[in-house]
Amino acid sequence: QFFVFCHGLLQLSQLLVSSYLKSSISTIEKRYGLSSKTSGLLASFNEVGNTLLIVFISYFGSRVHRPRFIGCGAILVSLAGFLMSLPHFITGPYEYDQSVASVFSNTTDLCQPKGTGSSGNLSDSICAPHAARENHEVLLVMFIAQVLLGIGGVPIQPFGISYIDDFASERNSPLYLGILFSLTVVGPGVGFMLGSGMLRFYVDIDKVSGDEVQLTNRDPRWVGAWWLGFLVAASLVAVAAVPYFFFPKEMPKEVGGDFPVVLLRNLRHPVFLLVVLAQVNLSAMVAGLATFMGKFLERQFSLTASFANMIIGSVNIPGAMVGIVVGGAILKRFQMSLRQCSAMCILGMLICLILALPLVFLGCPTQKVAGVTYSESSEIGHHVSECSLQCNCPKEAYNPICGSDGIEYISPCYAGCRVVSIANNSVLNYTNCACISENGLVGSAKPGTCGTGCSHLLLPFVVLSCLAGILASTSHTPSFMLILRSIQPEDKSFAVGIQFMLLRVLAWMPGPVLYGSAIDTTCILWEKKCDRKAACRYYDNNLFRQR
């Protein structure tokens, strides 16, 4: 029972590391200028180290000192967690465009007509080679950390499960494994909640004092302390690893069997193959959603990263948990046959599809952004480009403001604003804006984005997606049963190994990358760093939602 407790703790903290990355992915994109394709690849890269080893590890499982192997894996995972936060410490402070001369820069992004001699405008700052190199280093460190995370995670689940199954009594074994499986679902929930907490702090909380920070966490330029959570999660893993070095090897039960023969025997089994393929399709979707659902909620409903994570961690993931438990309970209550199991899977998926259909329509278009979603040819667009021409605007400035005419401008300069009013180090509003006309007068603007005006659709969206998730996950346990009961008993642990490998190669690895690429195709304004595309500033929200 102590082993089960330790193993639960370890699995929880291991999942904390990998799911925390998913919760802070939109923040890391913003901080280091990554496209969603890159961040999707990063999020799924831990599966690479994992896949290479998982089948062999589960095959040799009975011949080694399992607890010690688990302990070593956990140490690797902890190391990977600390490595993930390293980029924060090797790069300089986060720089963003601002209207106020400050500690960071004496430049400004207000409208400064040509000839006033102040060419001190922002963002066209020279493209130093070190900046590009810095970015490569960051990516290299994170990708290495992800590979280590994958390798370290290999022994943890298969060895833990087989160790418990070998030495627990036949009666208690399902209970213990049930506890562990439910923890694998709780883990990501806790990860997203951790993300929600950490992203409320400013990223450079350790480098600048609080009163120097001019952003609130509602600002689109806000970057939260993404690295803090990795330190927390990695420390937890390190603590959880310690007891494993003191568990006994215990009596290994001999297992016969030949590697290739067993592999072929399982792969030729039609039920096994079909169920695994069904699981692959579902898992690919879940992997993509888990990575980018937060980002989707942020863009579609104008939420902060912190709030989006809170919704996922407190509604969607517990919903999936409820589904898994309910599915298992129905199985147990009605003692279902294999045919009934598959019927239950089909039914759950069908209703899930019906509930998910409206989600395609729940949302609204991107807010009007001058010169971006608001076409240049239209009268207003033309007026905007004309009126900000004399302002000397830096091309890359990004400090969105919301005009009194309800249109968003990518910086005060683009709106032709010349005056900014400040109170205790934060911007109140911009006035004297040539491009914003309000009843024929020169308009004003507030800092921050206008938002999509979609907040009333958030509740129905969350409710429907949660229900769809509950229904989809009722098929989790019956599909497992289909696999476990359709193959020979002695092949069980090996079949589960093959199943996980197929899921990794066909679902968890490509899933986030495919989703990221699809999301990238809906971008309408890219941030440019040194003439290369960095992060996306604005998406076409309708396309983002549909794709």
Side-chain angles (χ1 to χ4, degrees), residues 490-502:
E490 68 270 18
D491 294 351
K492 236 178 245 185
S493 73
F494 191 55
V496 173
I498 297 174
Q499 174 201 8
F500 274 103
M501 188 199 73
L502 289 172

Side-chain angles (χ1 to χ4, degrees), residues 245-543:
F245 293 100
F246 303 102
F247 281 110
K249 182 181 178 185
E250 207 71 291
M251 319 165 297
K253 291 185 185 176
E254 262 315 304
V255 181
D258 296 308
F259 193 82
V261 180
V262 184
L263 181 68
L264 282 172
R265 187 164 62 209
N266 282 326
L267 285 184
R268 277 211 313 265
H269 199 297
V271 176
F272 176 77
L273 261 188
L274 286 170
V275 176
V276 170
L277 282 179
Q279 287 183 337
V280 160
N281 281 297
L282 183 61
S283 303
M285 186 191 78
V286 172
L289 276 184
T291 311
F292 294 115
M293 179 81 158
K295 184 188 177 84
F296 176 77
L297 292 173
E298 285 168 45
R299 298 296 176 132
Q300 200 74 52
F301 304 105
S302 313
L303 309 179
T304 63
S306 167
F307 187 56
N309 282 333
M310 198 171 87
I311 291 178
I312 295 173
S314 61
V315 180
N316 290 76
I317 292 180
M321 243 186 99
V322 169
I324 290 177
V325 172
V326 167
I330 295 177
L331 263 189
K332 195 173 176 221
R333 175 79 187 74
F334 297 110
Q335 299 276 310
M336 292 180 146
S337 67
L338 287 189
R339 190 160 287 166
Q340 285 168 324
C341 278
S342 57
M344 178 176 157
C345 292
I346 293 172
L347 194 67
M349 284 322 210
L350 244 156
I351 307 176
C352 162
L353 270 180
I354 294 166
L355 281 180
L357 256 174
L359 296 180
V360 181
F361 308 103
L362 280 180
C364 9
T366 314
Q367 62 268 38
K368 289 177 177 168
V369 183
V372 182
T373 56
Y374 222 55
S375 76
E376 290 287 350
S377 60
S378 72
E379 221 172 296
I380 298 194
H382 186 61
H383 170 57
V384 167
S385 49
E386 282 293 296
C387 73
S388 61
L389 265 182
Q390 76 235 20
C391 285
N392 256 342
C393 292
K395 278 199 206 55
E396 287 310 320
Y398 181 64
N399 173 9
I401 58 170
C402 186
S404 48
D405 54 358
I407 295 173
E408 191 171 315
Y409 297 82
I410 37 186
S411 77
C413 184
Y414 273 103
C417 301
R418 296 171 187 233
V419 185
V420 55
S421 46
I422 300 162
N424 41 24
N425 220 346
S426 68
V427 175
L428 288 180
N429 65 351
Y430 298 92
T431 45
N432 217 346
C433 305
C435 306
I436 304 176
S437 54
E438 201 182 3
N439 318 330
L441 300 164
V442 176
S444 62
K446 289 205 280 300
T449 150
C450 288
T452 53
C454 241
S455 44
H456 59 291
L457 292 173
L458 179 62
L459 189 65
F461 183 91
V462 171
V463 170
L464 276 176
S465 66
C466 179
L467 285 174
I470 292 177
L471 280 159
S473 40
T474 50
S475 65
H476 184 270
T477 320
S479 67
F480 249 100
M481 281 299 129
L482 278 173
I483 285 179
L484 291 177
R485 288 192 193 154
S486 64
I487 50 185
Q488 299 180 11
E490 68 270 18
D491 294 351
K492 236 178 245 185
S493 73
F494 191 55
V496 173
I498 297 174
Q499 174 201 8
F500 274 103
M501 188 199 73
L502 289 172
L503 283 177
R504 288 207 159 84
V505 177
L506 300 175
W508 295 335
M509 275 157 80
V513 184
L514 290 171
Y515 266 71
S517 309
I519 290 172
D520 281 342
T521 60
T522 66
C523 184
I524 43 184
L525 180 68
W526 288 95
E527 163 196 12
K528 294 239 181 355
K529 276 192 181 165
C530 305
D531 289 335
R532 68 172 189 86
K533 284 200 302 195
C536 183
R537 301 270 200 224
Y538 292 106
Y539 291 98
D540 178 329
N541 273 352
N542 286 334
L543 282 179

